[in-house]
Amino acid sequence: MMNCKSIQELLLTDYVDGEMSDSERKIIDDHLKSCQKCEEFALLAKKVGVDSFSDTERVSPSENVWQRIKMQVSSSSEKCNIFNNIFSLENIKNAFALMRPRLVLASILFVVLSTTLFIKVSEQNLALKQEEQVVVYLATLSEDDDSFDEDFETNIEKYFL
Amino acid sequence: MQEIAQDILERSAAGDLAAFECLYRASSGLVYNVAFRIVDSHQDAEEVTQDVFVNVYKNLSKFEFRSSFKTWIYRITINAALNRSKKMIKEKKRTAVLSDYQIDSVSFKEQKANDSKPDDELVHRLLSSLNPDQKACVVLRNIEGLSYEEVSRSLNININTVRSRLKRAREKMGKLIKKRGDHDEL
């Protein structure tokens, strides 16, 4: 059994907008027959939800609007076409055909130069690494010096000491 | 809005201006009406309409037909109109030389120059009392005649949100009508 509050919520929404099934609508209608408060509310809901907007005038845009839209889309289309014309598949193919021998030569030179540079840099890095290792080794030698000087614990030294 | 043939949509998406004009003629009324009811000014409604159709022209090729074209164009229109409306509100706050009442009268006078029906005066007052989200729901439901499901898809909100926004909007408008009724009786 629905209370008046729930009924009134439905009156403001689904009932007045025709979003209810026939059986649901019948339940509301039966309630309205016996509840004056809800019946008055239903009249106001219909006035607000339906009647106030029923004769709303439909307005149309002026012809200027279409002219402005046409101008705007045409100019953006032209820019797009210029761009497409320059970078069309045809033009790109032609450019490659023209440039091919030079492009091939340039590519070969690039590969050779990059490889040479890479090898040189690698060799330099390797040399640097080896130098570092020597330095580290020498550094460790000097650290060990004192202990070496003090370490007389070979058999011969022990014998004489 | 009359049904738009798939062929027209495809040719418009491909940049056919003649097809795009057909599309415009078929749907500009819907766009303009929704825009006008939200921004409440013919000049702004025309600018919103222009923005919407330029947007449609640029993006029609990306429209995947998962929703109907009608739902799609309603969504673009509502977004454009609400953005414009928010911009106008910010502008009004920034240049608050005129009082709210005077500003309301100015936009209403502009409307009155074109619309002389007394019903429109009531519609204007009722819609002015609502926030943008409520206004969008009322415009789509009451003026455009969309079902709850269609409103929900156009605004990309849950159907219960549509219901609750309509309920709150009508409660507000009901108080206004009651006040008017009491005033008329006096």
Side-chain angles (χ1 to χ4, degrees):
Chain A
M1 186 72 180
M2 291 169 85
N3 59 24
C4 286
K5 190 177 174 211
S6 311
I7 298 273
Q8 285 172 14
E9 278 185 17
L10 288 169
L11 285 170
L12 260 187
T13 53
D14 297 64
Y15 184 86
V16 87
D17 287 325
E19 294 275 338
M20 293 184 110
S21 66
D22 290 343
S23 56
E24 287 167 339
R25 206 171 174 84
K26 192 173 178 310
I27 295 170
I28 308 282
D29 287 339
D30 289 343
H31 178 86
L32 293 179
K33 284 174 190 167
S34 57
C35 179
Q36 193 184 348
K37 190 177 164 192
C38 285
E39 200 190 358
E40 283 169 9
F41 191 89
L43 289 170
L44 180 62
K46 186 172 175 285
K47 193 171 184 180
V48 171
V50 179
D51 299 343
S52 303
F53 296 94
S54 58
D55 282 333
T56 313
E57 193 185 357
R58 293 200 70 80
V59 287
S60 302
S62 66
E63 188 57 23
N64 285 340
V65 176
W66 168 245
Q67 296 306 323
R68 293 201 299 263
I69 292 167
K70 198 166 97 172
M71 211 159 41
Q72 209 171 332
V73 303
S74 297
S75 72
S76 73
S77 273
E78 267 174 31
K79 285 182 195 164
C80 215
N81 283 340
I82 290 168
F83 182 85
N84 285 343
N85 281 339
I86 291 171
F87 293 100
S88 70
L89 203 60
E90 193 69 35
N91 283 352
I92 291 170
K93 273 186 193 168
N94 290 339
F96 266 106
L98 209 69
M99 287 164 52
R100 198 176 288 160
R102 293 173 227 178
L103 198 66
V104 168
L105 192 64
S107 308
I108 292 170
L109 271 168
F110 177 75
V111 167
V112 166
L113 279 168
S114 318
T115 316
T116 314
L117 203 69
F118 179 73
I119 292 169
K120 267 201 166 356
V121 166
S122 302
E123 280 174 0
Q124 276 179 2
N125 283 346
L126 194 63
L128 249 158
K129 224 178 178 171
Q130 283 172 347
E131 273 181 32
E132 274 176 17
Q133 283 174 351
V134 167
V135 166
V136 165
Y137 173 69
L138 290 176
T140 52
L141 278 183
S142 62
E143 276 170 20
D144 289 341
D145 263 346
D146 294 332
S147 58
F148 182 74
D149 283 333
E150 285 170 4
D151 185 18
F152 293 117
E153 292 182 1
T154 59
N155 288 334
I156 295 199
E157 279 90 359
K158 267 186 193 166
Y159 178 77
F160 280 106
L161 293 170
Chain B
M1 174 176 123
Q2 37 180 301
E3 211 48 54
I4 297 171
Q6 185 77 9
D7 171 56
I8 295 286
L9 290 172
E10 286 169 2
R11 280 166 46 208
S12 302
D16 183 337
L17 203 56
F20 186 64
E21 186 175 354
C22 286
L23 190 150
Y24 171 81
R25 300 281 174 211
S27 51
S28 58
L30 168 172
V31 171
Y32 186 75
N33 268 283
V34 169
F36 175 66
R37 295 298 171 187
I38 291 180
V39 299
D40 201 26
S41 148
H42 285 290
Q43 188 183 350
D44 289 311
E46 288 198 343
E47 291 192 26
V48 168
T49 305
Q50 186 179 339
D51 290 344
V52 165
F53 280 98
V54 169
N55 203 343
V56 164
Y57 185 83
K58 285 180 184 167
N59 293 296
L60 197 52
S61 53
K62 295 175 201 159
F63 176 59
E64 288 169 8
F65 298 94
R66 266 184 259 145
S67 58
S68 75
F69 174 76
K70 191 169 134 180
T71 307
W72 188 60
I73 205 166
Y74 268 126
R75 191 181 297 171
I76 298 174
T77 307
I78 293 281
N79 287 340
L82 288 179
N83 285 340
R84 183 122 194 133
S85 190
K86 284 172 191 169
K87 222 174 168 178
M88 281 158 59
I89 291 169
K90 271 190 188 162
E91 195 58 40
K92 276 181 194 174
K93 282 182 182 169
R94 213 169 50 83
T95 58
V97 174
L98 298 168
S99 69
D100 281 346
Y101 174 75
Q102 283 174 297
I103 288 166
D104 194 32
S105 300
V106 163
S107 69
F108 178 60
K109 275 178 192 163
E110 184 194 46
Q111 182 197 331
K112 268 285 233 186
N114 293 310
D115 307 314
S116 52
K117 290 178 88 173
D119 289 340
D120 261 22
E121 180 196 337
L122 176 62
V123 167
H124 161 78
R125 294 227 181 272
L126 291 176
L127 292 176
S128 298
S129 70
L130 306 176
N131 71 35
D133 291 335
Q134 291 166 349
K135 206 188 274 194
C137 280
V138 169
V139 166
L140 290 182
R141 171 66 210 115
N142 282 100
I143 297 176
E144 296 299 308
L146 267 58
S147 68
Y148 283 11
E149 181 61 42
E150 287 170 326
V151 174
S152 151
R153 275 190 262 121
S154 297
L155 298 179
N156 205 23
I157 55 176
N158 189 281
I159 200 168
N160 286 326
T161 309
V162 173
R163 219 174 242 119
S164 89
R165 284 184 189 172
L166 282 173
K167 176 178 159 280
R168 291 210 174 89
R170 285 165 180 172
E171 281 168 350
K172 269 191 205 173
M173 293 190 292
K175 283 181 186 161
L176 210 64
I177 286 175
K178 253 187 157 180
K179 222 192 247 181
R180 235 173 103 103
D182 295 341
H183 179 78
D184 288 342
E185 278 169 19
L186 288 170

